[in-house]
Amino acid sequence: MMEAVLTLKRWLVGRPLKTREQAHVKIGVLKGMAVMTPDALSSVAYATDQMELILAVLIGAGMAEAKVTDVLGYSMLGTGLIVCLAFLLYLAYRNIIAHYPMGGGAYSIGLNDLGRVWGLSAAATLIVGYTLTVAVSVAAGVDAVAPVIPFVGDHKLWFNVFLTLVIMLVNLRGTGESAAVFVPFTYLFIGCIVLLGVGAAVQALRHPGDVHLPTAAGMQAVQGMSLFLFLKMFANGCSALTGVEAVSNSVPVFREPSVKRAQRTLLARIVTLSVLFFIVSTVATLHGLRYNPDVPLINQEAMEVFGDRGVGYAVTIVISLATMCILVIAANTAFAGCPSLWSTMARDGYMPRWMLHKGDRLVYSNGIVFLTFISLLLTIGFDAKVSRLIPLYGVSVFYTFTISQMGMLARLVRERESGWKWRLLLSGFGVLMSGLACVTFLVTRFFDGAWLVLVCVPLMVMMFTKIQGHYRQIREDLRYDFSQPFCASAPGITIVPIASVNKASVNALRYAVTNFKNVVAVHVVTADTEEEMERKTKKIEAEWERLGTGVRLIVIHSQYRAVAKRLQRFVEFELQKYSPENITIVLPQFITRRWWHKLLHNKTGGVLLAWLVLNKSVKVVTVPYRLSK
């Protein structure tokens, strides 16, 4: 059975890679765009939608189209501010990449420049953001294709689970292979949005009467538009900036010079994101396209520009499928960034050590599987609803942005390099904008689920602290005092529990006699009557005499038929005479050929082994004997 499992693993994941092959699996800018930018690029598929969701309260059913365009003009204003914030984040993360080439992003800069609580809280919100990236991206991708493929719309949750598992398997095959798979879809989506922008521009030139431009006077005349509502819209639209953190978390996966390649990838994604975001928001505004919970904005734009018949409808379907693909593979950004973050934290002692090491394919496979598990729980728990997941998403993303820029502020003030005041001003503006977005998300969507972040983050910080405390205590307990001379242990006792005189017990006894002194064998007799106990005692003693080991046999009667309990009491008795380090238990163990054979045997040896390991400091040795059939 084990061989079948290994064969299936090799078929799904691929052959194991040697450590020296590490250089061959690293990526450049082209593949880096495919691995780490889909999250940011895909967010343009729902960021404008999320802004229009807020503006929908201002659009009346009977409002003229020109007036609708004036309302939507605020989404263009929000888009401009968000693009400005994107470039401020680029400047911050560019410096973070340079100062922390081993990865870690907001966690590393918070930990080193602001303090442990800041760094750990940033890590907690990053983890929340990454897990939500997987859930939100896949859910939004399924939503994008549901209007044109009804079967998908009828089975959204199952498609979410299936696509999440597919992305997990692709990532388990390695960063290079996942990049090769996702490159075509990434650039197909970019091409589709550019085509949509070109098509909209041509249509506007051919039919200028169908285009409505917002005016400053018209926007000022909009009734009900307040600063708070605008900030709420701005915060929703800032979901377009998700995924910026991933590059700074994953610098080591780039080919040398890794820092330069990571910085170029970050710049390329910011520029591409800004262009695509402007295209989607502009087309929606010019055509007065409103928020529709059943039809995503990009689908509306494609139908408006290319039509819903013939070749135009085929183009619309291609754009819908490309949007679905980029939204789904946006989850890949989390699979690239989150396991790397966990590895960095494990190196510092804040996450389990099994997160630190790479698997067969030179990726953090344990982290990938764990991320998949958490994301599927969120997907199922929130019924794959993007609108229910976004509130948790926004708070976590913008808290990490704020921490990153605050860390750079602290570093600038401390180091005061040439031109630091100008960069301090830019970083301060970035902190203000991302902080406003974070607070607005938290206040306006508090009862929609944002409160979960306030609950989860402190609990996660406590968990990280406990984990590090555990590792620190282990180091203290295991640290050897070299002032103490090394010497052999005092004479002790070796105990061999036997069920009967058989090949497995004799094999264990032979091992004990060969390697230890003062060996005793212990046998527990159970029966329904005293006579039966006496008969069994004489039988085991006769067989022992016939074996001629020269080892003392101790026979114990159990009136309550509890073999493991009597063996435990015997060990407790010996602990009164010997220190734990001078007692060795040698356990016979036979190995069955089939997995179901194990169900046919009692678990006395396993119970005793678990009790010894968990409760006592005695040495335990198991001596296996493999059955032939």
Side-chain angles (χ1 to χ4, degrees), residues 12 21 44 65 75 84 86 137 177 278 428 462 482 500 530 544 589 603:
L12 291 173
E21 297 180 84
V44 304
E65 288 300 318
S75 69
C84 290
S137 299
E177 288 202 29
F278 261 121
M462 291 172 59
F482 286 93
S500 64
E530 291 289 339
W544 195 256
Q589 181 184 36
K603 301 295 185 289

Side-chain angles (χ1 to χ4, degrees), residues 88-270:
L88 291 175
L89 290 172
Y90 162 72
L91 295 176
Y93 280 103
R94 185 179 187 278
N95 289 327
I96 293 172
I97 290 170
H99 286 99
Y100 298 98
M102 294 306 295
Y107 158 72
S108 293
I109 196 168
L111 194 68
N112 292 281
D113 294 300
L114 296 175
R116 188 178 70 171
V117 173
W118 291 102
L120 294 180
S121 61
T125 52
L126 270 172
I127 292 168
V128 172
Y130 277 133
T131 53
L132 286 166
T133 292
V134 179
V136 169
S137 299
V138 176
V142 173
D143 287 346
V145 78
V148 293
I149 305 180
F151 180 77
V152 174
D154 295 336
H155 303 85
K156 284 185 178 181
L157 184 59
W158 288 110
F159 272 93
N160 273 267
V161 173
F162 172 73
L163 291 173
T164 302
L165 293 175
V166 168
I167 296 174
M168 178 195 75
L169 286 175
V170 172
N171 277 274
L172 286 174
R173 295 187 65 88
T175 305
E177 288 202 29
S178 64
V181 170
F182 297 140
V183 160
F185 299 106
T186 302
Y187 292 102
L188 173 65
F189 175 74
I190 294 173
C192 283
I193 300 302
V194 172
L195 177 64
L196 182 64
V198 171
V202 171
Q203 189 182 60
L205 292 174
R206 292 178 58 190
H207 306 285
D210 295 337
V211 174
H212 302 278
L213 295 174
T215 63
M219 291 172 63
Q220 289 178 357
V222 173
Q223 296 294 321
M225 191 65 196
S226 63
L227 177 61
F228 179 76
L229 194 64
F230 180 80
L231 288 175
K232 187 176 179 180
M233 180 207 71
F234 169 76
N236 268 25
C238 281
S239 57
L241 300 176
T242 56
V244 172
E245 180 78 24
V247 178
S248 64
N249 282 332
S250 310
V251 179
V253 307
F254 288 93
R255 293 198 303 269
E256 293 296 336
S258 58
V259 169
K260 292 294 183 184
R261 292 184 190 277
Q263 289 174 334
R264 291 170 191 161
T265 303
L266 181 62
L267 177 60
R269 77 183 298 181
I270 292 296

Side-chain angles (χ1 to χ4, degrees), residues 430-445:
V431 169
L432 178 63
M433 292 185 69
S434 56
L436 272 174
C438 180
V439 172
T440 304
F441 249 122
L442 183 61
V443 172
T444 59
R445 307 299 292 273

Side-chain angles (χ1 to χ4, degrees), residues 463-480:
M463 180 186 71
F464 299 149
T465 305
K466 290 288 186 182
I467 290 172
Q468 193 201 40
H470 170 72
Y471 284 129
R472 185 170 56 248
Q473 186 61 50
I474 285 179
R475 286 194 297 270
E476 290 297 322
D477 289 345
L478 295 180
R479 182 177 289 114
Y480 185 74

Side-chain angles (χ1 to χ4, degrees), residues 440-458:
T440 304
F441 249 122
L442 183 61
V443 172
T444 59
R445 307 299 292 273
F446 184 82
F447 294 106
D448 294 332
W451 62 270
L452 280 172
V453 179
L454 290 182
V455 174
C456 291
V457 170

